[in-house]
Amino acid sequence: MTAGPILVFDSGVGGLSVVSALRERLPRAALAYACDNAMLPYGLREDDWLVVRILAVCEAAAVASRCSALVVACNTASTLALDALRERLTVPVIGTVPAIKPAAAHSRSRHIGLLATSATVARPYTLRLIETFAADCRVTRVAADALVREAERWLAGEPLDREVIRRALAPLWVDPELDTVVLGCTHFPLLREVLAELAPRPVAWIDSSEAIARRTAQVVSGVAPREGPGPSFVTAPDPRLIPGLAAFGFAEPCLLPLD
């Protein structure tokens, strides 16, 4: 019996940046996508509530997709619920962490920026990553929740508000020595081109999508072959998502059955 697809989960469309990396690493593998768009954004919700919600949505999506593995393409969900998901599900679960380690290795000036959601920049898990992998670096942490909304707008085919993006990035440019920026939310790589365009000077933009794809390739086996558009799942109907999901190789989304 052929195994099911690799299921990619995020609160919104940010996980599609990981889908791109998975397509490059595993071009013949079937993928499925699920997002909890009814409760976006996760970064503004209570941790205990989120753990229960993430477990419920991921379990429902795993059943609906009959997946062979789950990629949690969301920093908030990974830092909160990864262990619980691994206990609950019978398939491998691959998580996401901000790319602090490769950013620190890349930086020559030893000053890096962390661009993430409010929850991620303040979470103890993130601080431990900085202490472990960037102890010799100055790390400027910037909460940029507005970029999540801009990425969602972009995928829905709406025009980006460049002034909103410019204001979100402004704290990064105070010190001209900052040379590397961690895109610490999976939504942000979707905006990479406009981020680079609006930056006042060249910097390296580093995210974790390639590392996630590499790890996924290591742990999956017998995944179903790619045959046409993959299934996608949402928790609230939103026709604006249909063209964007189609552009990343997914069928029109189905509504997840949640109790």
Side-chain angles (χ1 to χ4, degrees), residues 72-103:
V72 183
C74 173
N75 286 278
T76 298
S78 292
T79 56
L80 286 176
L82 204 59
D83 290 340
L85 284 168
R86 285 170 173 160
E87 290 179 5
R88 179 75 64 89
L89 302 180
T90 58
V91 297
V93 179
I94 299 95
T96 302
V97 297
I100 301 291
K101 183 177 180 180

Side-chain angles (χ1 to χ4, degrees), residues 81-147:
L82 204 59
D83 290 340
L85 284 168
R86 285 170 173 160
E87 290 179 5
R88 179 75 64 89
L89 302 180
T90 58
V91 297
V93 179
I94 299 95
T96 302
V97 297
I100 301 291
K101 183 177 180 180
H106 183 276
S107 176
R108 294 182 178 274
S109 69
R110 316 312 295 153
H111 185 181
I112 66 178
L114 170 61
L115 197 67
T117 63
S118 299
T120 297
V121 298
R123 201 171 295 284
Y125 183 89
T126 304
L127 301 181
R128 288 195 296 272
L129 284 176
I130 293 171
E131 292 171 359
T132 302
F133 299 114
D136 65 333
C137 292
R138 177 183 173 190
V139 180
T140 296
R141 293 177 289 146
V142 177
D145 299 280
L147 296 186

Side-chain angles (χ1 to χ4, degrees), residues 25-77:
R25 176 71 60 165
L26 298 165
R28 298 182 180 179
L31 302 182
Y33 193 79
C35 66
D36 190 9
N37 60 315
M39 296 301 167
L40 187 74
Y42 273 3
L44 302 180
R45 299 184 181 276
E46 295 293 327
D47 288 0
D48 291 343
W49 182 91
L50 272 174
V51 171
V52 174
R53 177 72 180 186
I54 291 163
L55 286 172
V57 174
C58 287
E59 188 167 33
V63 170
S65 65
R66 300 182 180 180
C67 66
S68 59
L70 170 65
V71 176
V72 183
C74 173
N75 286 278
T76 298

Side-chain angles (χ1 to χ4, degrees), residues 145-180:
D145 299 280
L147 296 186
V148 174
R149 294 189 293 273
E150 290 303 310
E152 294 282 333
R153 284 162 51 91
W154 174 81
L155 194 85
E158 299 175 16
L160 293 172
D161 189 329
R162 280 172 160 70
E163 187 55 36
V164 167
I165 298 172
R166 191 176 284 108
R167 288 198 301 268
L169 296 178
L172 294 171
W173 316 129
V174 174
D175 181 1
E177 292 299 313
L178 185 147
D179 66 352
T180 305

